[in-house]
Amino acid sequence: MEILIPTINLESIYPEILITVFAILVLLLQVFTSLPGRKQLGYISLTGIVLASIIVLTQGGAFGENTALPIYSFSNLWVVDNFSRFFKLIILIGTGLTVLISIKYLKDEGIDHGEYYSLILFTTIGMMIMAGGSDLITIFLGIELMSISLYVLTGYTRKRLLSNESSLKYFLLGSFATCFLLYGISLLYGATGTTNLKGISGFISDANFGSPVLIIGMVLLLIGFGFKVASVPFHMWTPDVYEGAPAPITAFMSASPKAAAFAAFLRVFIEALPSLQGVWVDIIWVLAAMTMTAGNVIALVQDNVKRMLAYSSIAHAGYILVAFISTDKSGIASILYYMLAYTFMNIGAFAIVIIIGGKGEEKVHVKDYTGLGYRYPLTAAAMTLFLLSLTGIPPTAGFMGKLYLFSAAIKSGYVGLVTIAVLNSVISLYYYLKIIVAMYLKEPELDVAHDSLVFSPAMVIALIIAVCGVLLVGIFPSPYIAMAQQSYISF
Amino acid sequence: MNYQNLPILSIVTFFPLIGIFIIFFIRKDNYRLIQRIAFITAVIDFILSVPLYFSFDSSQWKMQFIENIPWIEQFGIYYSMGIDGISLPLVLLTTFLSVIAILSTWTAVTEKVKGYMISLLFLETGMIGVFCALDFILFYIFWEVMLVPMYFIIGIWGGPRRLYAAIKFFLYTMFGSSLMLVAILVLYFINHAQTGVYSFSIPQFFGMNLSMNLQFWLFLAFFIAFGIKVPIFPFHTWLPDAHVEAPTAGSVILAGVLLKMGTYGFLRISLPMLPQASMNFIPFISVLGIIGVIYGAMVSLAQDDIKKLVAYSSVSHLGLCMLGMFAMNTAGIQGSILQMVNHGLSTGALFLMVGIIYEQRHTRLISEYGGLWKVIPVFTIIFLLVAFSSMGVPGLNGFVSEILILIGAFKRNIWFGAIVTVGLILDTVYLLWMFQRVVLGEITKDENRHLKDMNKRELLCLLPIILFIVWIGVYPRPFLNKMQVSVEHLIEQVKFNNTITEGEKREAHFSYGNFNTDD
């Protein structure tokens, strides 16, 4: 038997290689304590992220209708197309912002080790693999790399009980969900004889195949991905993990890994299983409605801001699922656009949670925000902007994002689901307003001594980027919409 | 005309932002300066808007002063502004009342003045934007954006129950507008299916070919959105709360302009886009309007808080406004638009008057006053004039719009007219009774003996309003003339769509949809 050596196209994984190099470099710099740059590991990681973003941007030419893409490589295990590039950019933006908001937090908590950044970078590689994998095996590899790094990161403040608890919970439930995913993959393989996404879709349509094995495999995959994007009823882990994890990691988890999970989710279901659309569309319809409603309703009664934002992130996954079922291609574009908007507004909101939280994350309750509008007007204004954007009030990125998501769904005729979604936005207004009420409408209690907040330069930069992102993507959305629209061409 | 080449509507809309920008750099304890700059900004904005009136060509119904710039081309969203005879009076009312509102807060609000003035100016931009926007998304953005400053105005500078009132206001309006967004998107895709063009341009949707069933649902969605804002009878409960808790300037703007956004929405969107449904909804909305008139008046009768009384009188007046609009004839709709302006003037003035005595006595209870005519005669005279205007005494503005609406209502259905005429008597009763208890009689409370009469600034606030109250009452022609053609065209649109067949419809309205190319 002749052994074929697959064509290796290293160029197509340059960004991933670069991040890997930086991840190992950061680790080594930490180990060899005398090396220069030991104190600046955060900024070194950031350099890697920025360089990787530049490579992603230039890979295969600028965004646009270029014929060079998609490039398949490694025996069709890997693909570089606009879809994966867009998601990688979102992931890298999320990671970059996370690094910026982590720097001071780590010093305050006394856990300023290189491993932290290294793990974040490994998570990033995992996520990028999820976005670029065109084979169930590659995607699974990415998911595992991402998840395992995240399990460690959630428990990173190892002296805090909550953090340990959340890490263990995440690990147990996460592994459980991974089993579903693997089982689903193996059933799909059993039914179609391939793990390649295009291969699966080709097989199903060739054979006009509707075997129960295939359906079960698909449902199991749906459960696995449902867990990763935290959709109801697979969301149980989210609040506890989000609450217990170090705040920058919570910010990170609610943005980048969610984007990566949606990237893989979309690619698998739209590229490999379009023939089963009739089945999964109905399931996701129900999931979307439940996810939005449960997320928002439970968020109403939360007093802990971190937990509230955890439920809000569940609700946002629900909004995204609304566009998921839109069989129209604008559905995919709208999800891409929304993830971009969501990354800015959500990490921005969490950045302020970190600032207010202070040492040991003790001030994470709504009452800790009382009077912030008068003591720190700019910070409060930024928080207000993020919260209004999360609600979907114009002229913010969140509004344009929702407009896009919902219009894609209406285009495909899901008026009922969109009505549920907009009513959910009204519910969400209430709990987002709770924070705004505390910041502006309640008088600060005079007898409580307020510690003054500390703003590190990195944090300020992160906030400025987030604010600009929310406003730019919201007020001048054309270029980003154009990019998102270019991204579904490969399908 | 030279003036036509300037993006005058954008200038008027966004000019307050310049004021905000300047105020942003002033130290917050220098509040006199902040107030002055806000005032000057509002005055300049008003002066900028006045030429709109004079260069508006009232002989045609087409949108004028049009601006049309691609904004988000992928979706066919344009930055598109323009006004016709329906929006013109409302734009002017907004710029006018903003000046008054800012001037009225000179001494009423002395805390956190910076944020207050920024909110008021921001609000002005949002409100003018709503009346000028000709693109659905732009309209929606302005509509939503102005919620935020209004929320803060009620919530930060409001009365004791301000939290409740502010949140209720925000949630109610957001509920309505979220349904409106769904309706807008549905219209958008139907329009695309019919014409192949992705467009959010409002005139594009006029005279669309929609099935009766669809029109019903869309109308319902818009009805809830606008009905909450107006507020039409069962949706009105947020209004008294918001009014009572809001500071004076907030109440003036709320009553004067914000509520008009709802009625404007009906005129600009519901009627011309969903004509058959509008015709079918006539009895329903007319009845709700009449209930509003009578219910508002009855509840007003029972109030001891003057501000609450005025708030409920708004429900009553706007019920009348809806009745006139859905009479679907020239007199009714003209009366309805004029009523919007009149209500803005007279209710705004009433809130200002209440604010003046409240500032001194810190109470708004009618039972706390009495016999004020002896102490503050100038106040008494102006108060009487304003109350007369509000109840529709001939010779003042309220009479003109009420009589037009009544004519319209009688033409539509004699019973509507008859019942509402009886209802209007109640309007007179509660206002006169309130006037009698507050101003006439003997002085019952010693605290009232030392009330100060209106000062120059307060007179400066009210005299311009009085001027218009009398002017519109005596000689309403210049105001009615400007809207005549637009209103007639609107009625034609509604009637037209109810009589002709589907095919002719699109063709006949095509020129309207293409307004940006032939102008």
Side-chain angles (χ1 to χ4, degrees):
Chain A
M1 195 177 119
E2 194 187 356
I3 296 171
L4 281 174
I5 297 174
T7 46
I8 290 175
N9 181 358
L10 278 185
E11 217 174 295
S12 66
I13 53 167
Y14 272 167
E16 289 76 13
I17 293 177
L18 189 87
I19 297 280
T20 316
V21 168
F22 269 87
I24 294 169
L25 178 74
V26 167
L27 210 53
L28 288 177
L29 281 173
Q30 167 67 29
V31 176
F32 298 105
T33 47
S34 58
L35 285 179
R38 156 135 163 63
K39 293 282 169 213
Q40 306 299 337
L41 292 175
Y43 294 103
I44 291 173
S45 323
L46 208 59
T47 318
I49 292 163
V50 171
L51 289 177
S53 319
I54 294 169
I55 298 177
V56 171
L57 267 176
T58 53
Q59 232 175 3
F63 264 92
E65 294 190 40
N66 49 15
T67 44
L69 295 175
I71 304 166
Y72 285 91
S73 52
F74 299 97
S75 310
N76 286 341
L77 285 172
W78 184 252
V79 62
V80 177
D81 54 10
N82 284 331
F83 177 80
S84 66
R85 285 168 70 203
F86 196 96
F87 263 117
K88 282 177 198 169
L89 282 179
I90 295 173
I91 290 164
L92 288 168
I93 291 171
T95 314
L97 288 173
T98 308
V99 170
L100 281 174
I101 61 177
S102 299
I103 292 172
K104 177 160 175 304
Y105 179 88
L106 294 182
K107 290 199 175 110
D108 284 353
E109 303 289 317
I111 45 168
D112 190 10
H113 314 303
E115 290 90 339
Y116 178 90
Y117 298 111
S118 182
L119 281 167
I120 283 197
L121 291 179
F122 278 120
T123 318
T124 311
I125 303 162
M127 295 188 291
M128 290 165 85
I129 293 174
M130 285 164 79
S134 62
D135 189 291
L136 288 173
I137 297 298
T138 333
I139 290 175
F140 181 71
L141 202 72
I143 291 180
E144 279 305 273
L145 183 52
M146 172 190 89
S147 303
I148 292 171
S149 315
L150 276 181
Y151 299 149
V152 184
L153 282 171
T154 6
Y156 205 81
T157 38
R158 61 172 195 277
K159 286 180 184 153
R160 278 210 356 253
L161 210 57
L162 266 180
S163 178
N164 285 312
E165 182 198 326
S166 80
S167 177
L168 190 64
K169 239 179 208 166
Y170 191 24
F171 171 64
L172 287 176
L173 289 172
S175 334
F176 194 57
T178 310
C179 296
F180 278 97
L181 204 64
L182 260 188
Y183 200 5
I185 291 175
S186 59
L187 286 180
L188 276 192
Y189 179 70
T192 62
T194 174
T195 52
N196 187 283
L197 298 182
K198 283 234 184 308
I200 293 172
S201 117
F203 185 88
I204 302 176
S205 57
D206 281 353
N208 199 6
F209 202 71
S211 100
V213 179
L214 193 67
I215 305 283
I216 295 171
M218 181 208 75
V219 172
L220 290 174
L221 276 181
L222 195 64
I223 295 174
F225 283 121
F227 179 88
K228 292 292 168 202
V229 300
S231 102
V232 176
F234 318 112
H235 69 289
M236 294 300 181
W237 59 279
T238 322
D240 288 341
V241 174
Y242 278 24
E243 190 186 348
I249 294 304
T250 312
F252 185 48
M253 275 201 291
S254 68
S256 296
K258 193 164 259 181
F262 267 112
F265 196 0
L266 274 172
R267 202 187 273 280
V268 170
F269 276 73
I270 288 170
E271 199 165 326
L273 304 167
S275 334
L276 300 180
Q277 215 161 39
V279 185
W280 59 256
V281 158
D282 290 341
I283 303 177
I284 294 182
W285 195 104
V286 178
L287 285 186
M290 288 200 312
T291 308
M292 294 182 289
T293 314
N296 280 321
V297 170
I298 305 175
L300 283 179
V301 293
Q302 302 304 321
D303 188 43
N304 182 318
V305 176
K306 253 171 112 183
R307 213 173 162 83
M308 183 193 286
L309 287 175
Y311 281 108
S312 117
S313 93
I314 294 175
H316 282 270
Y319 300 140
I320 294 172
L321 288 176
V322 171
F324 202 116
I325 58 170
S326 158
T327 44
D328 193 86
K329 286 187 171 178
S330 65
I332 303 166
S334 71
I335 293 178
L336 289 166
Y337 179 79
Y338 194 74
M339 283 311 318
L340 180 68
Y342 179 71
T343 302
F344 284 120
M345 60 198 185
N346 213 41
I347 295 192
F350 270 111
I352 290 177
V353 171
I354 295 171
I355 296 175
I356 309 287
K359 201 166 157 39
E361 281 187 43
E362 277 162 1
K363 295 180 181 163
V364 286
H365 294 276
V366 174
K367 65 171 173 8
D368 298 316
Y369 289 72
T370 309
L372 189 73
Y374 304 110
R375 287 182 294 133
Y376 296 96
L378 283 179
T379 315
M383 187 63 167
T384 310
L385 181 74
F386 297 137
L387 293 173
L388 291 179
S389 178
L390 284 166
T391 323
I393 305 271
T396 56
F399 167 71
M400 275 297 161
K402 271 188 184 163
L403 179 70
Y404 202 174
L405 287 179
F406 297 164
S407 70
I410 286 192
K411 195 174 181 185
S412 308
Y414 295 102
V415 180
L417 189 60
V418 172
T419 310
I420 298 177
V422 293
L423 293 181
N424 262 294
S425 304
V426 182
I427 300 177
S428 75
L429 174 69
Y430 184 79
Y431 61 83
Y432 293 128
L433 275 187
K434 268 207 322 204
I435 302 177
I436 300 179
V437 164
M439 290 194 300
Y440 289 98
L441 271 52
K442 291 204 172 134
E443 293 297 323
E445 292 152 38
L446 293 174
D447 48 330
V448 180
H450 288 288
D451 305 336
S452 52
L453 304 178
V454 188
F455 298 88
S456 66
M459 185 62 101
V460 173
I461 293 170
L463 277 178
I464 291 172
I465 294 174
V467 167
C468 291
V470 168
L471 289 176
L472 265 184
V473 176
I475 300 176
F476 301 105
S478 270
Y480 313 101
I481 291 174
M483 270 170 88
Q485 285 183 336
Q486 294 304 333
S487 301
Y488 55 63
I489 279 172
S490 60
F491 286 135
Chain B
M1 222 185 301
N2 212 0
Y3 188 68
Q4 293 274 12
N5 297 330
L6 278 174
I8 183 68
L9 288 179
S10 296
I11 295 174
V12 172
T13 306
F14 292 108
F15 188 78
L17 295 186
I18 297 176
I20 293 180
F21 185 75
I22 298 170
I23 290 175
F24 197 75
F25 292 103
I26 300 174
R27 281 189 40 241
K28 64 175 173 223
D29 25 344
N30 195 353
Y31 70 89
R32 281 283 166 225
L33 183 63
I34 293 173
Q35 285 173 332
R36 280 197 190 112
I37 287 178
F39 179 64
I40 291 167
T41 310
V43 168
I44 295 178
D45 204 33
F46 176 62
I47 294 170
L48 283 171
S49 70
V50 170
L52 285 177
Y53 178 83
F54 293 105
S55 33
F56 183 85
D57 177 4
S58 55
S59 66
Q60 56 167 322
W61 46 262
K62 280 194 178 175
M63 294 292 171
Q64 299 179 32
F65 312 108
I66 282 178
E67 293 163 38
N68 209 30
I69 304 160
W71 180 19
I72 307 171
E73 283 174 88
Q74 290 95 338
F75 299 157
I77 298 175
Y78 278 69
Y79 173 80
S80 159
M81 308 274 263
I83 53 173
D84 64 359
I86 297 170
S87 30
L88 175 73
L90 295 170
V91 171
L92 294 173
L93 179 72
T94 310
T95 52
F96 174 70
L97 279 182
S98 293
V99 176
I100 307 275
I102 288 173
L103 187 62
S104 77
T105 60
W106 231 245
T107 48
V109 173
T110 48
E111 269 178 53
K112 301 162 193 160
V113 174
K114 190 169 172 178
Y116 193 62
M117 290 304 168
I118 289 178
S119 299
L120 276 177
L121 289 174
F122 196 60
L123 191 62
E124 187 179 359
T125 291
M127 294 183 303
I128 302 174
V130 167
F131 296 131
C132 294
L134 282 188
D135 182 282
F136 246 138
I137 295 300
L138 194 65
F139 174 82
Y140 187 81
I141 286 176
F142 281 126
W143 178 280
E144 290 271 280
V145 142
M146 49 100 310
L147 290 180
V148 182
M150 195 64 218
Y151 165 77
F152 280 126
I153 287 174
I154 300 174
I156 299 180
W157 294 274
R161 284 171 70 241
R162 57 180 191 271
L163 268 184
Y164 171 77
I167 291 174
K168 195 170 176 183
F169 162 76
F170 207 155
L171 282 178
Y172 260 67
T173 325
M174 177 89 180
F175 171 76
S177 52
S178 66
L179 292 177
M180 171 163 77
L181 184 65
V182 178
I184 291 174
L185 288 173
V186 170
L187 273 173
Y188 171 68
F189 286 111
I190 293 172
N191 178 54
H192 174 247
Q194 288 182 355
T195 63
V197 185
Y198 278 125
S199 168
F200 275 109
S201 162
I202 288 178
Q204 177 84 27
F205 295 104
F206 292 164
M208 264 175 82
N209 185 359
L210 302 167
S211 73
M212 198 48 234
N213 187 33
L214 195 65
Q215 285 205 20
F216 172 80
W217 287 108
L218 290 173
F219 190 93
L220 205 63
F222 283 119
F223 170 72
I224 293 174
F226 300 142
I228 288 176
K229 202 88 187 184
V230 169
I232 294 177
F233 161 65
F235 306 121
H236 66 281
T237 61
W238 65 270
L239 183 74
D241 285 314
H243 264 322
V244 171
E245 300 310 321
T248 303
S251 295
V252 172
I253 295 284
L254 195 60
V257 186
L258 243 67
L259 307 186
K260 310 306 162 350
M261 288 168 46
T263 41
Y264 173 75
F266 278 107
L267 286 171
R268 173 64 70 239
I269 290 164
S270 299
L271 297 190
M273 283 184 205
L274 311 162
Q276 280 101 341
S278 305
M279 291 302 267
N280 290 356
F281 267 93
I282 286 178
F284 177 67
I285 292 184
S286 301
V287 168
L288 285 183
I290 294 169
I291 294 177
V293 172
I294 296 173
Y295 170 86
M298 304 260 268
V299 180
S300 294
L301 268 175
Q303 299 305 321
D304 192 32
D305 183 327
I306 310 177
K307 227 174 167 185
K308 222 168 190 166
L309 182 143
V310 180
Y312 277 107
S313 84
S314 286
V315 177
S316 177
H317 281 144
L318 284 154
L320 195 63
C321 204
M322 290 309 296
L323 182 71
M325 188 189 301
F326 276 78
M328 233 48 116
N329 44 40
T330 316
I333 294 184
Q334 276 198 328
S336 177
I337 300 172
L338 197 62
Q339 172 80 352
M340 292 181 206
V341 176
N342 289 342
H343 174 257
L345 295 172
S346 53
T347 309
L350 277 175
F351 278 123
L352 288 173
M353 304 300 289
V354 177
I356 289 168
I357 45 174
Y358 176 78
E359 240 181 88
Q360 300 183 41
R361 283 287 320 276
H362 294 282
T363 174
R364 291 184 303 252
L365 297 183
I366 296 174
S367 48
E368 287 289 316
Y369 295 100
L372 297 188
W373 64 280
K374 283 183 182 158
V375 197
I376 42 177
V378 180
F379 177 89
T380 306
I381 292 166
I382 294 182
F383 197 43
L384 183 66
L385 209 58
V386 171
F388 276 173
S389 139
S390 184
M391 65 183 90
V393 168
L396 298 176
N397 62 348
F399 176 73
V400 182
S401 52
E402 279 185 14
I403 204 77
L404 279 170
I405 291 173
L406 287 181
I407 294 170
F410 270 112
K411 271 193 197 157
R412 168 59 53 199
N413 183 328
I414 195 152
W415 286 106
F416 291 166
I419 297 171
V420 85
T421 314
V422 177
L424 282 179
I425 296 171
L426 284 172
D427 264 356
T428 322
V429 174
Y430 68 78
L431 277 166
L432 276 183
W433 194 34
M434 184 265 283
F435 183 77
Q436 185 192 338
R437 281 181 295 165
V438 171
V439 178
L440 301 181
E442 289 302 311
I443 299 174
T444 48
K445 303 265 187 237
D446 281 339
E447 297 94 319
N448 291 334
R449 286 186 199 282
H450 309 292
L451 284 178
K452 287 195 217 60
D453 211 340
M454 292 170 71
N455 59 28
K456 278 186 196 140
R457 180 184 56 80
E458 285 157 352
L459 277 174
L460 196 62
C461 278
L462 279 152
L463 285 181
I465 299 184
I466 301 292
L467 170 75
F468 280 106
I469 284 178
V470 177
W471 186 357
I472 298 177
V474 177
Y475 188 58
R477 183 169 289 277
F479 301 93
L480 292 171
N481 265 358
K482 289 285 175 186
M483 61 178 87
Q484 177 105 21
V485 181
S486 294
V487 169
E488 276 164 6
H489 176 71
L490 175 69
I491 291 165
E492 247 171 61
Q493 277 180 312
V494 178
K495 296 258 163 78
F496 187 61
N497 281 287
N498 277 294
T499 49
I500 58 150
T501 54
E502 308 294 318
E504 298 160 320
K505 201 190 298 176
R506 278 235 68 85
E507 213 165 316
H509 277 264
F510 197 63
S511 59
Y512 206 114
N514 268 358
F515 69 94
N516 46 334
T517 45
D518 51 27
D519 270 310

